Amino acid sequence: MIPPPRPDLRVTPVGAGLAVDDPVTGGRARLGPESAAVWRALLDGHRHPATLIAAVPHLSPATLRDRLCQLDDALLLDGARFAAHRGLFARAEPLPAAADLPLRLDPALRHQCVRCGASCTGVHVGPVPDTTRAAVERLGLWRAVPGAQKPDDAFVRGQSPDGPWAMMRRVGEACFALAQDATCGLHAAEGPAAKPPICRQFPYTFTRGPDAVYVGLQMECARFEATLPAGAERPVERVEAELTALVAEGAEVFDLPDPVPLAAGLWISRAAYLGQAPRWAAALDADAPPDALRALAAEILAAAGDALPPDPWRATAYWPAADAPSPAAARAAFVAALDDLLERLSEAASLGGRALEAEATAAARRALHATADAPPLADPEARRLAQLPWRAAVREHGLIRQRDLAAGFGRLELSIALARGIAADRAPAPVPIRALNDGLRLASRVLRMAPVDALLRQHAFVLRAALLPALEAGPWLGVPA
Ligand code: SF4
């Protein structure tokens, strides 16, 4: 029997779909018309594949199964999967305030800006706090924006569900506060406190856990070959003190959730996940870190999947023409969709005069089509740089940031593959470290663009598939409920 919808959920009609608020997970799911039709048929008692197929004739059996699995993975059905996970959510522990936690910084991630100005160019900088707006007015920096009549004209404004926001305007492609000598006008005149928080913490990223704030690095610095050696000269305690102050002043901090999502419909407790931290650290020191990390992630996923009780109704035999999905076909569809999107983004950026954005998307598109394997990295420094994204992601538990561990792993692999492809396209073997750095920066920027990010979420199945051979996988994994 197919499990019924959970009776404790709060359900609200929204157009032809439903909004479902979950008091156990704290999540809100939006069900489209297809899922809503399945939901209503289940409530009407059609809980066997044969009767459900008859009750919802406008959906194919394969689609019905997909929608059911999607509902079940979102823990909205009162079945074995919800029963297996319910306790994890009930026992979830709150996190201490970030300002009360010690910082955990891998000394290898120490960074020192060399003021190349590249990070202030080609990106939209914000949100901008009142302190920055006041400094822009005080210093008259707004006059650098062509056509600006008053200080407020230096900011792009908008409205989000969280309230109004403001971003620094760009002049050409650079932040208007960037001076000719590639220094920040705000920083030079009033110190780092005048800058938007995102600039102060760049390229550091923070994740709050139960015992520490873990520090990572965003891969968008243009000069890691210079900024990391410069950072290594700085005493660890001093860097930690600066970062601790940033966190206390409200830097952007991601919360490590409890339980931790591993893949669609699969969680483990935060304590169990953190219990594997020594193994993640050991994998970083292996001869081939990506392979060791992949093996460990796959093992964790498989163990969690094996612990789930079987769900007989999911068997494709009950659903005529419902085939197990082909990762290869899904991958081909994803590559085609990404190629199309990158082409459109590149054209739009060219037409809009955003040369850096056009260059980044075009370079990523060429890398997507590169048929040859990326050439090996002869330079030991370049080899170390190629491992940096893995080190940063493991140290700050960054793989979890991208929806779940499996999707995060696939996304990072994609980012590094694009970076290597971009580097190889720019400089034939041996790939110089600057080309690899450019590749990492451009690939990271492209994957962070809102339309690309949305596409990656839509095709999360492809990102997860590499780690999921032992688990049941379906196209619904890429379409969150
Ligand atoms: S505010 Fe300063 S640090 Fe931030 S992007 Fe603009 S020039 Fe760069």
Side-chain angles (χ1 to χ4, degrees):
M1 291 285 272
I2 304 162
R6 280 168 44 205
D8 58 329
L9 299 168
R10 280 197 313 279
V11 182
T12 317
V14 179
L18 299 170
V20 183
D21 288 295
D22 187 334
V24 174
T25 66
R28 164 168 260 225
R30 300 295 281 266
L31 309 188
E34 293 182 355
S35 296
V38 173
W39 185 271
R40 292 185 180 110
L42 290 175
L43 286 176
D44 287 342
H46 302 291
R47 294 183 36 218
H48 187 277
T51 60
L52 189 67
I53 289 168
V56 193
H58 70 286
L59 297 182
S60 72
T63 303
L64 282 175
R65 178 176 180 271
D66 279 358
R67 295 291 163 259
L68 280 170
C69 290
Q70 192 177 12
L71 294 171
D72 196 39
D73 284 347
L75 305 184
L76 301 181
L77 302 184
D78 205 0
R81 192 168 294 250
F82 174 61
H85 287 100
R86 170 181 211 147
L88 295 180
F89 286 93
R91 291 189 295 274
E93 295 278 344
L95 290 169
D100 295 339
L101 289 167
L103 205 76
R104 192 160 301 162
L105 167 71
D106 180 340
L109 301 184
R110 278 171 296 168
H111 175 274
Q112 172 65 55
C113 177
V114 294
R115 301 194 175 166
C116 67
S119 307
C120 311
T121 306
V123 287
H124 295 278
V125 174
V128 179
D130 288 343
T131 45
T132 299
R133 289 207 292 270
V136 165
E137 182 167 0
R138 225 172 14 251
L139 298 168
L141 291 177
W142 56 275
R143 294 195 173 85
V145 178
Q149 305 288 323
K150 55 187 186 308
D152 232 26
D153 294 341
F155 306 101
V156 183
R157 294 181 180 282
Q159 185 76 30
S160 76
D162 299 329
W165 51 262
M167 311 280 278
M168 305 288 276
R169 275 199 190 280
R170 302 195 301 197
V171 177
E173 292 201 79
C175 169
F176 73 83
L178 188 67
Q180 293 287 344
D181 60 355
T183 57
C184 171
L186 287 160
H187 190 135
E190 299 204 350
K195 294 196 288 191
I198 195 72
C199 304
R200 296 175 60 194
Q201 80 178 71
F202 181 85
Y204 289 107
T205 49
F206 304 106
T207 299
R208 176 167 62 143
D211 58 339
V213 171
Y214 315 109
V215 182
L217 275 185
Q218 206 178 333
M219 286 304 113
E220 295 185 27
C221 169
R223 298 286 310 278
F224 275 125
E225 97 287 354
T227 58
L228 291 180
E233 300 284 309
R234 306 190 68 214
V236 175
E237 303 72 31
R238 187 149 161 221
V239 179
E240 282 180 343
E242 287 172 10
L243 298 181
T244 301
L246 263 180
V247 170
E249 287 165 26
E252 191 176 274
V253 178
F254 170 78
D255 286 345
L256 190 62
D258 190 14
V260 169
L262 295 177
L266 201 57
W267 287 260
I268 57 171
S269 74
R270 186 167 60 208
Y273 169 78
L274 288 173
Q276 302 284 349
R279 299 182 70 202
W280 285 104
L284 274 183
D285 293 331
D287 289 341
D291 293 344
L293 293 168
R294 164 187 287 276
L296 177 56
E299 184 193 318
I300 293 171
L301 279 155
D306 289 347
L308 279 181
D311 265 324
W313 61 266
R314 285 186 176 232
T316 49
Y318 285 116
W319 308 93
D323 288 330
S326 151
R331 188 174 189 280
F334 166 64
V335 169
L338 183 56
D339 174 58
D340 179 57
L341 178 61
L342 291 175
E343 183 178 22
R344 283 186 284 121
L345 289 173
S346 181
E347 280 172 11
S350 292
L351 288 172
R354 301 186 302 277
L356 288 173
E357 203 176 306
E359 177 205 347
T361 42
R365 188 165 177 243
R366 283 196 300 279
L368 193 64
H369 289 293
T371 46
D373 285 342
L377 298 166
D379 174 5
E381 290 302 316
R383 281 206 297 276
R384 256 196 293 281
L385 180 60
Q387 307 297 351
L388 186 66
W390 291 111
R391 177 166 290 274
V394 167
R395 293 303 193 205
E396 69 150 341
H397 305 287
L399 297 172
I400 306 299
R401 283 185 180 223
Q402 309 298 336
R403 198 158 188 83
D404 54 56
L405 177 68
F409 202 96
R411 184 181 169 124
L412 187 55
E413 284 199 322
L414 173 66
S415 182
I416 294 172
L418 288 178
R420 298 281 302 268
I422 292 170
D425 185 50
R426 295 187 159 204
V431 174
I433 191 167
R434 287 295 293 272
L436 180 62
N437 201 146
D438 269 355
L440 288 171
R441 183 169 64 101
L442 297 181
S444 178
R445 277 193 181 182
V446 166
L447 295 193
R448 226 163 35 79
M449 294 168 79
V452 180
D453 185 61
L455 188 81
L456 293 182
R457 285 173 179 268
Q458 205 183 339
H459 289 258
F461 166 61
V462 177
L463 301 179
R464 292 171 178 138
L467 279 176
L468 287 168
L471 291 177
E472 186 188 15
W476 64 88
L477 291 181
V479 188

